[in-house]
């Protein structure tokens, strides 16, 4: 009866990183989606729902900032992010981390592009519509997130050699 | 293609988001280049590691029940507070609810977009992509006699290539693209500061269909068929200009 519920829950769970809040937020988003259905002009219903889930989660994240990575507040929200910064800050302990944990510690904007691209298999354009940013921004966030996650794989290669 | 360019495009390529020509160029480069192959390998490794190790959290079964319960409760709470509505509003509301139920139940299968709508989306994607990655032309030339032979051997048909510089639509080049499961010819025209992408490929439709204008995401799309070819033109220039453009090409 509720299409795309798994996709909605997975995104929320990755954005807020705990089960209880993810469930509450998905419920809230679905109710908003159902209410707003008459405003839905056709097209991609999954993308439409995911955009609502994302907005709901970001509102929650803004209220609960202390739970986010420290870098999130000041730096990621400003236009000019020094390119080396997130990589440098987040690169600590990379060698001992699992991918799962590394992804959890990325700022939300970077986490979501990985989830939407790799787990939901969405196109750049679909992601850009959900996140409300240009395709170029999606591409650069993906590139930076991947560069960061790649650090988790590097040590294993080193050990084998 | 240079190595730095190839490596920068690698993940876009693996995401399947690179345009056809650069896709081919990159594939050719990787095959021949010992430095770029490892870059491709490690990007693939990362992708499979993410898909293997990063958990996909499925919604607990109780969540769907909870949401449906809450939706029912909410509609019950709202109902008594509503003032009496005139009958025509009830009809509107009932229609909206029916549409909602039908849409939720049958989703896109039932009210799926038509072939032309899907194609318009593809055309729009191709247009935006061509402007976005600064890959407007494979053969930048204002000379139709250069552009036309360039398509030879790359396509199994010969697209008509016309320069309309005299009429205010100078041809600036050609490109290969891929639409509706064909390799297609893309011709790029200038209109003042705007670009028009014209996509052409053969059709089995023998009728000449007159230009039909549609708007997609703020872009004007004109579609017609002539002489066994499909023509789709897209741009952000005014609708009137697009009609003129189509008219000139059909002469």
């Amino acid at each position: 009866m509720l299409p795309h519920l798994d996709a909605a829950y997975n995104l929320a769970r990755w954005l807020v990183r705990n089960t209880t809040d993810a469930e509450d937020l998905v419920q809230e988003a679905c109710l908003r989606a159902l209410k707003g259905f008459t405003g839905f002009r056709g097209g991609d219903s999954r993308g439409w729902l995911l955009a609502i889930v994302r907005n709901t989660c970001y509102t929650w994240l803004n209220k609960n900032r202390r739970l986010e990575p420290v870098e999130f507040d000041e730096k990621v929200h400003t236009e000019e992010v020094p390119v080396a910064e997130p990589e440098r800050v987040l690169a600590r302990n990379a060698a001992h981390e699992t991918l799962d944990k590394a992804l959890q510690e990325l700022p939300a904007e970077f986490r979501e592009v990985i989830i939407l691209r790799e787990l939901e298999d969405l196109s750049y354009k679909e992601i850009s519509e959900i996140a409300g940013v240009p395709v170029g921004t999606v591409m650069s966030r993906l590139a930076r997130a991947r560069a960061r996650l790649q650090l988790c794989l590097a040590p294993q290669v080193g050990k084998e050699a | 293609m240079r190595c730095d360019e190839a490596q920068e495009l690698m993940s876009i390529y693996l995401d399947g988001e690179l345009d056809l020509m650069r896709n081919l160029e990159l594939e050719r480069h990787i095959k021949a280049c010992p430095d770029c192959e490892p870059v491709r390998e490690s990007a693939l490794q990362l992708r499979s590691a993410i898909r293997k190790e990063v958990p996909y959290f499925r919604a607990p079964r109780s969540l769907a029940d909870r949401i449906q319960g809450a939706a029912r409760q909410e509609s019950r709470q709202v109902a008594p507070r509503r003032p009496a509505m005139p009958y025509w509003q009830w009809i509107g509301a009932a229609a909206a609810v029916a549409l909602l139920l039908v849409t939720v139940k049958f989703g896109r299968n039932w009210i799926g977009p038509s072939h032309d709508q899907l194609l318009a989306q593809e055309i729009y994607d191709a247009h935006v992509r061509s402007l976005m990655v600064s890959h407007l032309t494979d053969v930048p030339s204002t000379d139709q006699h250069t552009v036309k032979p360039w398509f030879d051997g790359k396509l199994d048909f010969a697209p008509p290539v016309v320069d309309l510089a005299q009429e205010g639509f100078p041809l600036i080049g050609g490109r290969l693209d891929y639409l509706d499961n064909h390799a297609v010819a893309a011709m790029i025209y200038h209109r003042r500061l705007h670009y028009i992408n014209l996509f052409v490929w053969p059709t089995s439709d023998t009728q000449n269909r007159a230009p039909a204008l549609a708007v997609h995401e703020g872009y004007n799309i004109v579609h017609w068929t002539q002489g066994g070819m499909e023509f789709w033109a897209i741009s952000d220039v005014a609708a009137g200009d697009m009609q003129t453009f189509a008219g000139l090409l059909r002469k």
Side-chain angles (χ1 to χ4, degrees):
Chain A
M1 237 346 245
L2 288 163
H4 316 308
L5 189 60
D6 281 337
Y9 181 74
N10 185 49
L11 177 62
R13 175 66 179 71
W14 271 106
L15 281 175
V16 303
R17 294 174 302 179
N18 79 76
T19 314
T20 321
D21 291 313
E23 287 189 25
D24 289 348
L25 291 164
V26 169
Q27 172 171 344
E28 189 185 331
C30 284
L31 293 178
R32 280 169 60 189
L34 286 168
K35 262 190 230 163
F37 217 99
T38 40
F40 177 55
R41 286 177 298 135
D44 174 17
S45 61
R46 176 170 62 165
W48 183 68
L49 179 61
L50 290 182
I52 297 176
V53 168
R54 180 186 181 275
N55 282 340
T56 313
C57 288
Y58 271 76
T59 309
W60 184 92
L61 284 174
N62 283 334
K63 272 191 224 147
N64 297 274
R65 278 176 181 219
R66 64 200 158 76
L67 301 173
E68 265 298 293
V70 190
E71 298 77 26
F72 178 79
D73 298 2
E74 289 77 19
K75 303 211 172 68
V76 182
H77 267 228
T78 55
E79 281 287 302
E80 291 289 317
V81 185
V83 174
E85 194 70 359
E87 283 82 351
R88 186 179 63 78
V89 176
L90 291 161
R92 52 184 181 206
N93 303 330
H96 307 289
E97 256 177 3
T98 59
L99 264 183
D100 177 6
K101 185 155 177 293
L103 184 58
Q104 292 219 23
E105 288 181 1
L106 281 181
E109 283 85 347
F110 295 86
R111 229 181 299 147
E112 72 188 358
V113 289
I114 293 289
I115 297 302
L116 295 175
R117 174 63 214 137
E118 303 289 9
L119 301 191
E120 292 298 339
D121 223 4
L122 295 179
S123 71
Y124 293 173
K125 179 155 177 295
E126 287 168 317
I127 298 172
S128 90
E129 281 169 3
I130 291 167
V133 295
V135 171
T137 309
V138 172
M139 288 160 85
S140 68
R141 283 180 184 170
L142 256 181
R144 288 170 65 190
R146 280 170 168 161
R148 164 66 188 99
L149 295 177
Q150 194 90 55
L151 296 175
C152 298
L153 300 188
Q156 291 160 10
V157 176
K159 271 177 232 156
E160 279 163 21
Chain B
M1 186 177 277
R2 292 192 321 270
C3 286
D4 55 344
E5 201 185 337
Q7 294 178 9
E8 204 181 307
L9 294 174
M10 193 69 73
S11 62
I12 303 172
Y13 162 69
L14 294 173
D15 283 335
E17 300 262 355
L18 209 56
D19 60 277
L20 183 68
M21 275 313 284
R22 285 204 297 183
N23 219 53
L24 296 173
E25 270 176 53
L26 185 62
E27 279 173 357
R28 220 177 299 138
H29 178 93
I30 298 168
K31 267 192 202 133
C33 176
D35 294 335
C36 288
E37 176 54 28
V39 176
R40 190 181 77 98
E41 276 299 314
S42 71
L44 283 175
Q45 261 174 23
L46 177 65
R47 160 175 297 181
S48 70
I50 291 174
R51 292 183 181 184
K52 208 160 61 200
E53 291 171 34
V54 170
Y56 189 109
F57 297 104
R58 299 201 184 279
R61 289 187 75 182
S62 58
L63 185 58
D65 298 340
R66 215 177 103 184
I67 293 170
Q68 274 163 1
R72 270 196 295 273
Q73 205 173 2
E74 221 169 71
S75 60
R76 233 177 277 142
Q77 280 170 358
V78 173
R81 281 204 302 270
R82 251 188 227 144
M85 283 196 285
Y87 76 94
W88 49 268
Q89 277 192 7
W90 277 111
I91 294 171
V97 169
L99 176 69
L100 186 156
L101 291 177
V102 163
T103 317
V104 169
K105 193 154 171 132
F106 297 97
R108 293 157 59 172
N109 297 339
W110 199 69
I111 49 160
S114 71
H115 177 253
D116 273 11
Q117 278 171 323
L118 288 173
L119 198 50
Q121 176 69 37
E122 263 193 77
I123 302 268
Y124 161 79
D125 289 344
H127 180 69
V128 171
R129 212 163 41 228
S130 75
L131 301 176
M132 186 182 80
V133 292
S134 61
H135 177 69
L136 204 50
T137 55
D138 292 325
V139 48
S141 169
T142 54
D143 179 2
Q144 51 187 305
H145 304 296
T146 306
V147 175
K148 194 170 170 65
W150 182 85
F151 282 117
D152 280 352
K154 298 187 178 67
L155 293 169
D156 53 4
F157 62 95
V161 182
V162 199
D163 186 20
L164 300 171
Q166 298 285 326
E167 291 83 359
F169 298 90
L171 174 71
I172 59 167
R175 188 179 78 244
L176 277 190
D177 220 312
Y178 194 82
L179 288 169
D180 200 28
N181 305 320
H182 318 272
V184 307
M187 271 128 338
I188 303 89
Y189 291 85
H190 226 159
R191 177 64 171 173
R192 300 192 187 99
L193 292 172
H194 306 271
Y195 293 107
I196 303 175
N197 259 300
L198 172 69
F199 301 99
V200 180
W201 66 94
T203 175
S204 50
D205 188 356
T206 49
Q207 275 186 344
N208 287 348
R209 285 201 276 162
L213 185 75
V215 181
H216 191 92
E217 312 260 338
Y219 286 88
N220 288 314
I221 301 183
V222 187
H223 168 219
W224 70 97
T225 60
Q226 189 172 22
M229 296 275 178
E230 288 264 0
F231 292 79
W232 288 77
I234 176 166
S235 179
D236 55 351
V237 306
D241 279 358
M242 289 300 276
Q243 300 274 25
T244 313
F245 177 68
L248 290 166
L249 283 166
R250 295 177 78 224
K251 269 185 195 160

